[in-house]
Amino acid sequence: MTVDEGRRITITAIAQEAGVSVPTVSRVLNGRNDVAPQTRERVEELLRRHGYRRRATRPRAGASLIDLIFNDLDSPWAVEIIRGVEDVAHASGVGTVVSAIHRRSTSTRQWLQNLRTRATDGVILVASDLAPPVHAELRRLNVPMVLVDPAGVPNIDIPTIGATNWAGGLRATEHLLSLGHRRIGFIAGPPRLLCSRARLDGYRAALDAAGIPLRDDLIVPGDFYHESGYSGGAALLDLDEPPTAIFASSDQMAFGAYEAVRRRGLRVPDDVSVVGFDDLPEARWASPPLTTVRQPLAEMGLLAARTVLRLAQGEPLDTPRVELSTDLVVRDSSAPFPGR
Protein backbone atom coordinates (compact mmCIF):
# COMPACT_ATOMS: atom_id res chain seq x y z
CA MET A 1 0.00 0.00 0.00
CA THR A 2 1.20 3.49 -0.77
CA VAL A 3 -0.09 6.58 0.93
CA ASP A 4 -0.13 9.88 -0.89
CA GLU A 5 2.00 12.56 0.74
CA GLY A 6 -0.07 14.74 3.00
CA ARG A 7 -2.80 12.11 3.45
CA ARG A 8 -3.29 10.27 6.70
CA ILE A 9 -3.82 6.53 6.69
CA THR A 10 -7.19 5.43 8.11
CA ILE A 11 -8.18 2.55 10.35
CA THR A 12 -10.25 1.21 7.45
CA ALA A 13 -7.19 1.10 5.19
CA ILE A 14 -5.14 -0.64 7.89
CA ALA A 15 -7.94 -3.18 8.36
CA GLN A 16 -8.14 -3.87 4.62
CA GLU A 17 -4.40 -4.44 4.32
CA ALA A 18 -4.31 -6.64 7.43
CA GLY A 19 -7.35 -8.62 6.29
CA VAL A 20 -9.28 -7.97 9.51
CA SER A 21 -12.29 -5.93 10.56
CA VAL A 22 -12.20 -2.29 11.61
CA PRO A 23 -13.21 -3.19 15.22
CA THR A 24 -10.18 -5.50 15.43
CA VAL A 25 -7.84 -2.62 14.57
CA SER A 26 -9.64 -0.50 17.17
CA ARG A 27 -9.06 -3.21 19.78
CA VAL A 28 -5.34 -3.20 19.03
CA LEU A 29 -5.21 0.59 19.30
CA ASN A 30 -7.08 0.47 22.61
CA GLY A 31 -4.76 -2.19 24.04
CA ARG A 32 -7.51 -4.77 24.50
CA ASN A 33 -6.44 -8.36 25.06
CA ASP A 34 -9.18 -10.08 23.01
CA VAL A 35 -7.11 -10.16 19.80
CA ALA A 36 -5.09 -13.15 18.64
CA PRO A 37 -1.31 -12.55 19.10
CA GLN A 38 -0.45 -13.04 15.42
CA THR A 39 -3.21 -10.66 14.40
CA ARG A 40 -2.07 -8.08 16.94
CA GLU A 41 1.51 -8.25 15.64
CA ARG A 42 0.35 -7.87 12.01
CA VAL A 43 -1.83 -4.84 12.80
CA GLU A 44 0.79 -3.18 15.00
CA GLU A 45 3.44 -3.65 12.30
CA LEU A 46 1.18 -1.96 9.72
CA LEU A 47 0.39 0.88 12.11
CA ARG A 48 4.11 1.48 12.61
CA ARG A 49 4.92 1.16 8.92
CA HIS A 50 2.36 3.75 7.90
CA GLY A 51 2.98 6.04 10.87
CA TYR A 52 -0.65 5.90 11.92
CA ARG A 53 -1.66 8.62 14.37
CA ARG A 54 -5.00 8.60 16.12
CA ARG A 55 -7.37 11.37 15.20
CA ALA A 56 -8.42 13.70 17.96
CA THR A 57 -12.04 12.67 17.79
CA ARG A 58 -14.43 11.37 20.39
CA PRO A 59 -14.27 7.59 20.50
CA ARG A 60 -17.30 5.56 19.52
CA ALA A 61 -19.64 5.06 22.42
CA GLY A 62 -20.90 1.67 23.40
CA ALA A 63 -19.57 -1.88 23.41
CA SER A 64 -18.59 -4.12 20.53
CA LEU A 65 -21.52 -5.47 18.56
CA ILE A 66 -22.75 -8.51 16.65
CA ASP A 67 -25.50 -8.01 14.05
CA LEU A 68 -27.97 -10.90 13.93
CA ILE A 69 -30.19 -10.81 10.83
CA PHE A 70 -33.40 -12.77 10.20
CA ASN A 71 -35.87 -12.62 7.35
CA ASP A 72 -38.65 -12.62 9.94
CA LEU A 73 -38.86 -12.80 13.73
CA ASP A 74 -42.34 -14.30 14.13
CA SER A 75 -41.15 -17.86 14.76
CA PRO A 76 -40.21 -19.57 18.04
CA TRP A 77 -37.10 -21.08 16.45
CA ALA A 78 -35.72 -17.56 15.95
CA VAL A 79 -35.91 -17.05 19.72
CA GLU A 80 -33.86 -20.21 20.27
CA ILE A 81 -31.11 -19.00 17.90
CA ILE A 82 -31.11 -15.57 19.56
CA ARG A 83 -30.72 -17.28 22.94
CA GLY A 84 -27.58 -19.08 21.78
CA VAL A 85 -26.05 -15.93 20.29
CA GLU A 86 -26.86 -13.92 23.40
CA ASP A 87 -25.18 -16.47 25.70
CA VAL A 88 -21.87 -16.02 23.86
CA ALA A 89 -22.25 -12.26 23.40
CA HIS A 90 -22.98 -11.69 27.10
CA ALA A 91 -20.02 -13.81 28.19
CA SER A 92 -17.76 -11.88 25.77
CA GLY A 93 -18.99 -8.42 26.74
CA VAL A 94 -20.43 -7.91 23.26
CA GLY A 95 -23.81 -6.37 22.40
CA THR A 96 -26.29 -7.91 19.97
CA VAL A 97 -28.36 -6.01 17.41
CA VAL A 98 -31.25 -8.13 16.09
CA SER A 99 -32.90 -7.09 12.81
CA ALA A 100 -35.60 -8.50 10.54
CA ILE A 101 -35.36 -7.53 6.89
CA HIS A 102 -38.64 -9.19 5.82
CA ARG A 103 -37.08 -10.10 2.43
CA ARG A 104 -37.61 -6.50 1.26
CA SER A 105 -34.90 -4.60 -0.58
CA THR A 106 -35.78 -1.38 1.27
CA SER A 107 -35.25 -3.11 4.64
CA THR A 108 -31.94 -4.51 3.47
CA ARG A 109 -30.73 -1.07 2.32
CA GLN A 110 -31.77 0.47 5.64
CA TRP A 111 -29.94 -2.25 7.57
CA LEU A 112 -26.75 -1.74 5.53
CA GLN A 113 -26.98 2.02 6.12
CA ASN A 114 -27.29 1.43 9.86
CA LEU A 115 -24.41 -1.05 9.75
CA ARG A 116 -22.04 1.53 8.26
CA THR A 117 -22.59 3.85 11.22
CA ARG A 118 -22.00 1.42 14.08
CA ALA A 119 -18.81 -0.50 13.15
CA THR A 120 -20.14 -3.95 13.96
CA ASP A 121 -17.72 -6.76 14.84
CA GLY A 122 -19.52 -9.25 12.62
CA VAL A 123 -22.78 -10.30 11.01
CA ILE A 124 -24.77 -13.53 11.45
CA LEU A 125 -27.40 -14.10 8.76
CA VAL A 126 -30.08 -16.73 9.42
CA ALA A 127 -31.89 -18.65 6.65
CA SER A 128 -31.02 -15.92 4.19
CA ASP A 129 -29.86 -15.55 0.62
CA LEU A 130 -26.66 -13.51 0.74
CA ALA A 131 -27.33 -11.30 -2.26
CA PRO A 132 -24.20 -10.29 -4.22
CA PRO A 133 -24.58 -6.54 -3.42
CA VAL A 134 -24.86 -7.31 0.32
CA HIS A 135 -21.87 -9.65 0.17
CA ALA A 136 -19.82 -7.06 -1.71
CA GLU A 137 -20.68 -4.31 0.79
CA LEU A 138 -19.80 -6.47 3.80
CA ARG A 139 -16.51 -7.39 2.15
CA ARG A 140 -15.81 -3.72 1.43
CA LEU A 141 -16.44 -2.89 5.09
CA ASN A 142 -14.25 -5.85 6.18
CA VAL A 143 -17.11 -7.18 8.30
CA PRO A 144 -16.85 -10.91 9.09
CA MET A 145 -19.99 -12.89 8.29
CA VAL A 146 -21.43 -16.30 9.16
CA LEU A 147 -24.51 -17.96 7.66
CA VAL A 148 -26.88 -20.12 9.73
CA ASP A 149 -29.04 -22.50 7.65
CA PRO A 150 -28.23 -20.69 4.38
CA ALA A 151 -31.04 -20.47 1.86
CA GLY A 152 -28.85 -21.38 -1.10
CA VAL A 153 -25.37 -22.73 -1.71
CA PRO A 154 -23.07 -20.14 -0.07
CA ASN A 155 -19.78 -18.86 -1.39
CA ILE A 156 -16.93 -21.11 -0.40
CA ASP A 157 -15.27 -18.37 1.66
CA ILE A 158 -18.27 -17.79 3.96
CA PRO A 159 -18.51 -19.98 7.07
CA THR A 160 -21.84 -21.76 7.57
CA ILE A 161 -23.53 -23.39 10.55
CA GLY A 162 -26.26 -25.95 9.97
CA ALA A 163 -27.73 -29.23 11.14
CA THR A 164 -27.95 -32.73 9.69
CA ASN A 165 -31.32 -32.12 8.06
CA TRP A 166 -31.14 -35.06 5.65
CA ALA A 167 -30.33 -37.48 8.47
CA GLY A 168 -33.16 -36.00 10.54
CA GLY A 169 -35.68 -36.46 7.72
CA LEU A 170 -34.48 -40.02 7.19
CA ARG A 171 -34.70 -40.89 10.89
CA ALA A 172 -38.20 -39.45 11.34
CA THR A 173 -39.52 -41.42 8.36
CA GLU A 174 -37.75 -44.60 9.46
CA HIS A 175 -39.39 -44.23 12.88
CA LEU A 176 -42.86 -44.14 11.32
CA LEU A 177 -42.00 -47.07 9.04
CA SER A 178 -40.86 -49.08 12.07
CA LEU A 179 -44.32 -48.54 13.59
CA GLY A 180 -45.91 -50.17 10.55
CA HIS A 181 -47.01 -47.04 8.68
CA ARG A 182 -46.82 -47.25 4.90
CA ARG A 183 -48.86 -44.22 3.83
CA ILE A 184 -46.81 -41.39 5.30
CA GLY A 185 -47.72 -37.84 4.34
CA PHE A 186 -45.07 -35.13 4.22
CA ILE A 187 -45.59 -31.39 4.74
CA ALA A 188 -42.59 -29.68 3.14
CA GLY A 189 -40.86 -26.44 4.04
CA PRO A 190 -40.01 -23.56 1.68
CA PRO A 191 -38.25 -25.08 -1.35
CA ARG A 192 -35.79 -22.18 -1.54
CA LEU A 193 -34.16 -23.32 1.70
CA LEU A 194 -31.47 -26.00 1.62
CA CYS A 195 -32.68 -27.40 4.95
CA SER A 196 -36.19 -27.92 3.53
CA ARG A 197 -34.90 -29.79 0.51
CA ALA A 198 -32.62 -31.93 2.67
CA ARG A 199 -35.50 -33.01 4.96
CA LEU A 200 -37.60 -33.94 1.94
CA ASP A 201 -34.69 -35.91 0.46
CA GLY A 202 -34.31 -37.79 3.77
CA TYR A 203 -38.02 -38.70 3.66
CA ARG A 204 -37.68 -39.95 0.09
CA ALA A 205 -34.55 -41.94 0.90
CA ALA A 206 -36.24 -43.76 3.79
CA LEU A 207 -39.22 -44.74 1.63
CA ASP A 208 -36.93 -45.90 -1.15
CA ALA A 209 -34.85 -48.02 1.23
CA ALA A 210 -38.08 -49.65 2.51
CA GLY A 211 -39.22 -50.41 -1.04
CA ILE A 212 -42.25 -48.13 -0.78
CA PRO A 213 -43.12 -46.20 -3.98
CA LEU A 214 -43.11 -42.43 -3.61
CA ARG A 215 -46.58 -40.91 -3.97
CA ASP A 216 -46.59 -37.30 -5.08
CA ASP A 217 -50.05 -36.73 -3.62
CA LEU A 218 -48.64 -37.48 -0.14
CA ILE A 219 -46.24 -34.51 -0.40
CA VAL A 220 -47.82 -31.09 0.18
CA PRO A 221 -46.22 -27.64 0.35
CA GLY A 222 -45.70 -25.61 3.51
CA ASP A 223 -43.75 -22.62 4.83
CA PHE A 224 -42.76 -23.80 8.35
CA TYR A 225 -45.68 -21.90 9.94
CA HIS A 226 -48.79 -23.14 11.73
CA GLU A 227 -51.31 -22.16 9.03
CA SER A 228 -49.57 -24.11 6.27
CA GLY A 229 -49.36 -27.12 8.58
CA TYR A 230 -53.11 -26.96 9.05
CA SER A 231 -53.89 -26.56 5.34
CA GLY A 232 -51.34 -29.22 4.39
CA GLY A 233 -52.66 -31.64 6.98
CA ALA A 234 -56.23 -31.00 5.81
CA ALA A 235 -55.26 -31.67 2.17
CA LEU A 236 -53.62 -34.96 3.15
CA LEU A 237 -56.55 -36.12 5.29
CA ASP A 238 -59.01 -35.31 2.50
CA LEU A 239 -57.34 -37.71 0.07
CA ASP A 240 -59.27 -40.82 -1.01
CA GLU A 241 -56.50 -42.81 0.66
CA PRO A 242 -55.34 -40.51 3.49
CA PRO A 243 -52.05 -41.16 5.27
CA THR A 244 -51.93 -42.98 8.58
CA ALA A 245 -49.00 -40.80 9.61
CA ILE A 246 -47.81 -37.28 8.82
CA PHE A 247 -44.23 -36.01 8.97
CA ALA A 248 -44.21 -32.21 9.12
CA SER A 249 -40.84 -30.60 8.46
CA SER A 250 -41.27 -28.12 11.34
CA ASP A 251 -42.90 -28.32 14.77
CA GLN A 252 -45.18 -25.40 14.01
CA MET A 253 -46.55 -27.19 10.96
CA ALA A 254 -46.96 -30.34 13.07
CA PHE A 255 -49.13 -28.35 15.49
CA GLY A 256 -51.17 -27.16 12.51
CA ALA A 257 -51.59 -30.79 11.43
CA TYR A 258 -52.82 -31.59 14.96
CA GLU A 259 -55.64 -29.11 14.41
CA ALA A 260 -56.52 -30.59 11.02
CA VAL A 261 -56.76 -34.03 12.62
CA ARG A 262 -58.96 -32.78 15.46
CA ARG A 263 -61.36 -30.92 13.15
CA ARG A 264 -62.06 -34.17 11.32
CA GLY A 265 -63.06 -35.91 14.51
CA LEU A 266 -59.85 -37.93 14.60
CA ARG A 267 -57.20 -38.28 17.29
CA VAL A 268 -53.40 -38.11 17.45
CA PRO A 269 -51.91 -40.74 17.55
CA ASP A 270 -54.84 -43.21 17.70
CA ASP A 271 -55.94 -42.44 14.14
CA VAL A 272 -53.02 -40.46 12.72
CA SER A 273 -49.45 -40.31 13.97
CA VAL A 274 -47.66 -36.95 13.67
CA VAL A 275 -43.92 -36.21 13.76
CA GLY A 276 -42.35 -32.74 13.64
CA PHE A 277 -38.90 -31.22 13.22
CA ASP A 278 -37.12 -28.70 15.55
CA ASP A 279 -38.03 -29.76 19.11
CA LEU A 280 -39.19 -26.32 20.13
CA PRO A 281 -39.80 -25.90 23.90
CA GLU A 282 -43.56 -26.20 23.45
CA ALA A 283 -43.23 -29.61 21.74
CA ARG A 284 -43.05 -31.38 25.09
CA TRP A 285 -46.13 -29.53 26.38
CA ALA A 286 -48.36 -30.15 23.36
CA SER A 287 -51.33 -32.47 23.67
CA PRO A 288 -50.15 -35.10 23.05
CA PRO A 289 -46.43 -34.33 23.49
CA LEU A 290 -44.88 -34.20 20.03
CA THR A 291 -42.47 -36.76 18.62
CA THR A 292 -39.95 -34.65 16.71
CA VAL A 293 -36.45 -34.33 15.37
CA ARG A 294 -34.37 -32.19 17.69
CA GLN A 295 -32.50 -29.49 15.81
CA PRO A 296 -29.95 -27.85 18.16
CA LEU A 297 -31.06 -24.29 17.43
CA ALA A 298 -29.55 -22.62 20.50
CA GLU A 299 -26.29 -24.47 19.93
CA MET A 300 -26.28 -23.31 16.30
CA GLY A 301 -26.64 -19.69 17.46
CA LEU A 302 -23.94 -20.19 20.06
CA LEU A 303 -21.49 -21.64 17.53
CA ALA A 304 -22.28 -18.92 14.99
CA ALA A 305 -21.50 -16.22 17.57
CA ARG A 306 -18.25 -17.90 18.58
CA THR A 307 -17.28 -18.23 14.92
CA VAL A 308 -17.96 -14.61 14.01
CA LEU A 309 -16.03 -13.37 17.06
CA ARG A 310 -13.06 -15.55 16.14
CA LEU A 311 -13.12 -14.07 12.65
CA ALA A 312 -13.34 -10.55 14.08
CA GLN A 313 -10.23 -11.27 16.15
CA GLY A 314 -8.35 -12.55 13.10
CA GLU A 315 -8.24 -16.16 14.30
CA PRO A 316 -8.30 -19.00 11.75
CA LEU A 317 -11.21 -21.45 11.70
CA ASP A 318 -10.79 -25.21 11.96
CA THR A 319 -13.39 -25.70 9.22
CA PRO A 320 -15.70 -23.31 7.33
CA ARG A 321 -18.61 -25.80 7.30
CA VAL A 322 -20.20 -27.16 10.48
CA GLU A 323 -23.25 -29.42 10.74
CA LEU A 324 -24.55 -30.22 14.21
CA SER A 325 -26.29 -33.54 14.81
CA THR A 326 -30.05 -33.94 14.89
CA ASP A 327 -31.75 -36.52 17.14
CA LEU A 328 -35.15 -38.14 17.12
CA VAL A 329 -37.12 -37.43 20.32
CA VAL A 330 -39.93 -39.97 20.67
CA ARG A 331 -42.95 -38.79 22.64
CA ASP A 332 -46.67 -39.60 22.47
CA SER A 333 -47.74 -38.33 19.04
CA SER A 334 -46.50 -41.41 17.17
CA ALA A 335 -47.90 -44.89 17.66
CA PRO A 336 -48.07 -48.23 15.80
CA PHE A 337 -50.26 -48.37 12.70
CA PRO A 338 -53.86 -49.08 13.83
CA GLY A 339 -54.54 -52.79 13.66
CA ARG A 340 -50.90 -53.73 13.43
Short mmCIF file of all heavy atoms in Angstrom, two decimals, residues 22 33 36 59 78 97 100 145 156 158 200 257 268 272 276 286 294 300 306 313 323 339:
data_model
loop_
_atom_site.label_atom_id
_atom_site.label_comp_id
_atom_site.label_asym_id
_atom_site.label_seq_id
_atom_site.Cartn_x
_atom_site.Cartn_y
_atom_site.Cartn_z
N VAL A 22 -12.53 -3.58 10.99
CA VAL A 22 -12.20 -2.29 11.61
C VAL A 22 -12.23 -2.39 13.15
O VAL A 22 -11.33 -1.88 13.82
CB VAL A 22 -13.16 -1.19 11.11
CG1 VAL A 22 -12.98 0.09 11.93
CG2 VAL A 22 -12.91 -0.91 9.64
N ASN A 33 -7.13 -7.08 25.13
CA ASN A 33 -6.44 -8.36 25.06
C ASN A 33 -7.22 -9.43 24.31
O ASN A 33 -6.80 -10.59 24.27
CB ASN A 33 -6.12 -8.88 26.48
CG ASN A 33 -7.37 -9.03 27.33
OD1 ASN A 33 -8.48 -8.93 26.84
ND2 ASN A 33 -7.17 -9.27 28.62
N ALA A 36 -6.09 -12.10 18.75
CA ALA A 36 -5.09 -13.15 18.64
C ALA A 36 -3.69 -12.53 18.50
O ALA A 36 -3.52 -11.51 17.81
CB ALA A 36 -5.40 -14.03 17.43
N PRO A 59 -14.15 9.00 20.84
CA PRO A 59 -14.27 7.59 20.50
C PRO A 59 -15.73 7.17 20.43
O PRO A 59 -16.61 7.78 21.04
CB PRO A 59 -13.56 6.87 21.66
CG PRO A 59 -13.63 7.83 22.81
CD PRO A 59 -13.56 9.20 22.19
N ALA A 78 -36.59 -18.74 15.95
CA ALA A 78 -35.72 -17.56 15.95
C ALA A 78 -35.30 -17.20 17.37
O ALA A 78 -34.15 -16.81 17.62
CB ALA A 78 -36.44 -16.38 15.29
N VAL A 97 -27.33 -6.77 18.10
CA VAL A 97 -28.36 -6.01 17.41
C VAL A 97 -29.13 -6.98 16.53
O VAL A 97 -28.58 -7.58 15.61
CB VAL A 97 -27.76 -4.89 16.53
CG1 VAL A 97 -28.87 -4.14 15.80
CG2 VAL A 97 -26.93 -3.93 17.38
N ALA A 100 -34.82 -7.70 11.48
CA ALA A 100 -35.60 -8.50 10.54
C ALA A 100 -35.75 -7.69 9.26
O ALA A 100 -36.22 -6.54 9.30
CB ALA A 100 -36.98 -8.84 11.12
N MET A 145 -18.61 -12.43 8.38
CA MET A 145 -19.99 -12.89 8.29
C MET A 145 -20.05 -14.41 8.43
O MET A 145 -19.13 -15.13 8.04
CB MET A 145 -20.63 -12.43 6.99
CG MET A 145 -20.03 -13.03 5.74
SD MET A 145 -20.53 -12.17 4.22
CE MET A 145 -19.16 -11.00 4.06
N ILE A 156 -17.82 -20.21 -1.12
CA ILE A 156 -16.93 -21.11 -0.40
C ILE A 156 -16.17 -20.42 0.72
O ILE A 156 -15.72 -21.05 1.68
CB ILE A 156 -15.95 -21.77 -1.40
CG1 ILE A 156 -15.25 -22.98 -0.74
CG2 ILE A 156 -14.92 -20.75 -1.89
CD1 ILE A 156 -14.49 -23.83 -1.71
N ILE A 158 -17.40 -18.24 2.88
CA ILE A 158 -18.27 -17.79 3.96
C ILE A 158 -18.57 -18.97 4.87
O ILE A 158 -19.14 -19.97 4.44
CB ILE A 158 -19.58 -17.21 3.41
CG1 ILE A 158 -19.30 -16.06 2.43
CG2 ILE A 158 -20.46 -16.72 4.56
CD1 ILE A 158 -20.53 -15.54 1.76
N LEU A 200 -36.80 -33.22 2.92
CA LEU A 200 -37.60 -33.94 1.94
C LEU A 200 -36.79 -35.08 1.33
O LEU A 200 -37.31 -36.20 1.15
CB LEU A 200 -38.08 -32.98 0.85
CG LEU A 200 -38.83 -33.59 -0.33
CD1 LEU A 200 -40.05 -34.38 0.14
CD2 LEU A 200 -39.23 -32.51 -1.33
N ALA A 257 -51.03 -29.49 11.82
CA ALA A 257 -51.59 -30.79 11.43
C ALA A 257 -52.43 -31.38 12.56
O ALA A 257 -53.45 -32.02 12.31
CB ALA A 257 -50.45 -31.74 11.04
N VAL A 268 -54.83 -37.85 17.54
CA VAL A 268 -53.40 -38.11 17.45
C VAL A 268 -52.99 -38.79 18.76
O VAL A 268 -53.29 -38.26 19.84
CB VAL A 268 -52.60 -36.79 17.28
CG1 VAL A 268 -51.10 -37.08 17.25
CG2 VAL A 268 -53.01 -36.05 16.01
N VAL A 272 -54.09 -40.99 13.57
CA VAL A 272 -53.02 -40.46 12.72
C VAL A 272 -51.83 -40.12 13.60
O VAL A 272 -51.96 -39.35 14.57
CB VAL A 272 -53.46 -39.19 11.95
CG1 VAL A 272 -52.34 -38.71 11.03
CG2 VAL A 272 -54.73 -39.44 11.17
N GLY A 276 -42.80 -34.07 14.05
CA GLY A 276 -42.35 -32.74 13.64
C GLY A 276 -40.84 -32.67 13.46
O GLY A 276 -40.15 -33.70 13.39
N ALA A 286 -47.20 -30.00 24.25
CA ALA A 286 -48.36 -30.15 23.36
C ALA A 286 -49.22 -31.30 23.84
O ALA A 286 -48.82 -32.12 24.67
CB ALA A 286 -47.88 -30.39 21.93
N ARG A 294 -34.97 -33.32 16.98
CA ARG A 294 -34.37 -32.19 17.69
C ARG A 294 -33.29 -31.56 16.82
O ARG A 294 -32.31 -32.19 16.46
CB ARG A 294 -33.76 -32.61 19.02
CG ARG A 294 -33.15 -31.42 19.76
CD ARG A 294 -32.54 -31.81 21.10
NE ARG A 294 -32.03 -30.62 21.77
CZ ARG A 294 -30.80 -30.11 21.58
NH1 ARG A 294 -29.96 -30.70 20.75
NH2 ARG A 294 -30.42 -29.02 22.21
N MET A 300 -26.66 -23.89 17.59
CA MET A 300 -26.28 -23.31 16.30
C MET A 300 -26.01 -21.82 16.44
O MET A 300 -25.04 -21.28 15.89
CB MET A 300 -27.39 -23.57 15.27
CG MET A 300 -27.48 -25.04 14.85
SD MET A 300 -29.06 -25.47 14.06
CE MET A 300 -28.99 -24.48 12.58
N ARG A 306 -19.66 -17.62 18.33
CA ARG A 306 -18.25 -17.90 18.58
C ARG A 306 -17.43 -17.77 17.30
O ARG A 306 -16.31 -17.25 17.31
CB ARG A 306 -18.10 -19.30 19.16
CG ARG A 306 -18.53 -19.44 20.61
CD ARG A 306 -18.39 -20.86 21.08
NE ARG A 306 -18.73 -20.99 22.50
CZ ARG A 306 -18.91 -22.15 23.11
NH1 ARG A 306 -18.77 -23.29 22.43
NH2 ARG A 306 -19.21 -22.20 24.39
N GLN A 313 -11.52 -11.36 15.47
CA GLN A 313 -10.23 -11.27 16.15
C GLN A 313 -9.08 -11.76 15.27
O GLN A 313 -7.92 -11.81 15.73
CB GLN A 313 -10.28 -12.09 17.44
CG GLN A 313 -11.25 -11.51 18.47
CD GLN A 313 -11.53 -12.48 19.60
OE1 GLN A 313 -10.80 -13.44 19.79
NE2 GLN A 313 -12.60 -12.23 20.35
N GLU A 323 -21.90 -28.89 10.62
CA GLU A 323 -23.25 -29.42 10.74
C GLU A 323 -23.38 -30.10 12.09
O GLU A 323 -22.65 -31.05 12.38
CB GLU A 323 -23.56 -30.41 9.61
CG GLU A 323 -23.88 -29.78 8.28
CD GLU A 323 -24.53 -30.77 7.33
OE1 GLU A 323 -24.43 -31.99 7.57
OE2 GLU A 323 -25.14 -30.32 6.35
N GLY A 339 -54.28 -51.42 14.11
CA GLY A 339 -54.54 -52.79 13.66
C GLY A 339 -53.30 -53.60 13.41
O GLY A 339 -53.38 -54.76 13.00
#
